[in-house]
Amino acid sequence: GNGKGTIAKWKDKHRRMYDQATHHPFILSIRDGAVDYSNFKRWLGQDYIFVRQFIPFVASVLLKSWKESDEESDMEVLLGGMASLNDEISWFKRQADKWDVHLHSVVPQQANLNYCMFLESLMKPEVEYIVAITAFWAVEAVYQESFSLCLESSAKTPLELMETCQRWGNPGFGEYCVSLQKIADRCLENSTTDDVLLKAEAAFTTVLQHEVSFWDMSYG
Ligand code: HMH
């Protein structure tokens, strides 16, 4: 199609919420070099728990793509996402060592549990591929945009946090998010019922709310 895709329109429509998720004070504190390291460590431990729950969610999106997608390249993009999560788990373990965070004694906080429960609700077989892929794109895009801010030339990100910011802010991850956005846009464009569009839009805004609460958690 021509002009703006649905995702870009929704980003405009929900701009305030999108910016709250992508320009959270915690991220801005990393970018400005003023980050409180106990907040960073709290975030690291909670995010490890989140990512472990995120893996079965991504597997469920892969399964929906196999059943419902008309494009076989979707599965390859999702498989790439699974592969990078494999890498990410090892990365979290190395970071936890570096920062002296004991992953096994981290207790998931309520905001984390709420977010994981929401993702689990999207894993049900009756949830449409479009809805799940829209949510998946949103989860990844928030981290990509957030950590990219910390890599801008004017950023004063501390050297010891550069690896974290590069994990999600690197151009390759940016391209991966664009691929996910294209899949979501294609599905949304081909969608024949308003009902599923409303559900996908609601999944997008719900992810944004959970992301804000997740960042808030770093403040303890
Ligand atoms: C809370 N959102 C949260 N954690 C992550 N690791 C990502 C998004 C990106 O995968």
Side-chain angles (χ1 to χ4, degrees):
N2 51 7
K4 264 188 181 168
T6 307
I7 295 286
K9 286 184 200 148
W10 286 350
K11 269 163 72 169
D12 285 346
K13 181 175 170 190
H14 303 286
R15 177 56 57 190
R16 229 173 54 91
M17 215 191 279
Y18 192 78
D19 286 348
Q20 279 175 347
T22 56
H23 293 65
H24 189 276
F26 173 67
I27 280 294
L28 300 181
S29 79
I30 294 177
R31 186 198 61 182
D32 298 340
V35 62
D36 179 333
Y37 283 94
S38 62
N39 293 345
F40 176 77
K41 287 163 73 165
R42 205 163 12 239
W43 165 80
L44 188 74
Q46 292 296 320
D47 211 44
Y48 172 74
I49 294 174
F50 174 83
V51 168
R52 290 200 70 95
Q53 302 294 312
F54 190 50
I55 293 167
F57 168 71
V58 181
S60 79
V61 183
L62 185 83
L63 195 60
K64 289 183 206 297
S65 132
W66 168 65
K67 288 200 170 173
E68 295 176 49
S69 174
D70 43 21
E71 277 283 348
E72 57 177 33
S73 59
D74 288 11
M75 195 146 48
E76 289 157 31
V77 173
L78 294 168
L79 187 59
M82 292 288 282
S84 67
L85 284 169
N86 181 32
D87 215 52
E88 204 159 298
I89 290 292
S90 319
W91 179 84
F92 269 104
K93 289 177 180 166
R94 285 199 308 276
Q95 288 291 316
D97 271 351
K98 167 174 163 180
W99 293 99
D100 208 28
V101 172
H102 303 283
L103 292 177
H104 294 287
S105 45
V106 176
V107 177
Q109 291 186 31
Q110 195 57 48
N112 201 351
L113 295 170
N114 293 344
Y115 199 175
C116 291
M117 258 193 295
F118 170 65
L119 291 184
E120 198 170 341
S121 75
L122 297 179
M123 287 165 60
K124 292 187 212 139
E126 64 266 30
V127 173
E128 296 85 350
Y129 177 51
I130 302 193
V131 176
I133 194 88
T134 300
F136 182 37
W137 162 78
V139 173
E140 298 290 47
V142 166
Y143 263 42
Q144 199 277 326
E145 288 214 22
S146 297
F147 285 109
S148 298
L149 291 176
C150 305
L151 298 177
E152 285 174 354
S153 54
S154 58
K156 298 186 196 72
T157 302
L159 212 54
E160 62 268 36
L161 297 185
M162 284 303 277
E163 235 192 285
T164 299
C165 300
Q166 268 154 0
R167 167 121 228 125
W168 291 280
N170 79 78
F173 195 76
E175 284 160 28
Y176 168 62
C177 291
V178 170
S179 305
L180 292 177
Q181 179 170 341
K182 282 182 181 158
I183 296 173
D185 271 331
R186 189 198 75 234
C187 294
L188 292 164
E189 199 175 328
N190 295 340
S191 147
T192 46
T193 69
D194 287 345
D195 170 60
V196 84
L197 286 176
L198 285 172
K199 281 198 267 185
E201 186 174 3
F204 167 53
T205 56
T206 304
V207 164
L208 296 180
Q209 286 161 349
H210 283 296
E211 287 289 340
V212 172
S213 306
F214 200 93
W215 293 130
D216 286 346
M217 216 171 29
S218 66
Y219 287 92

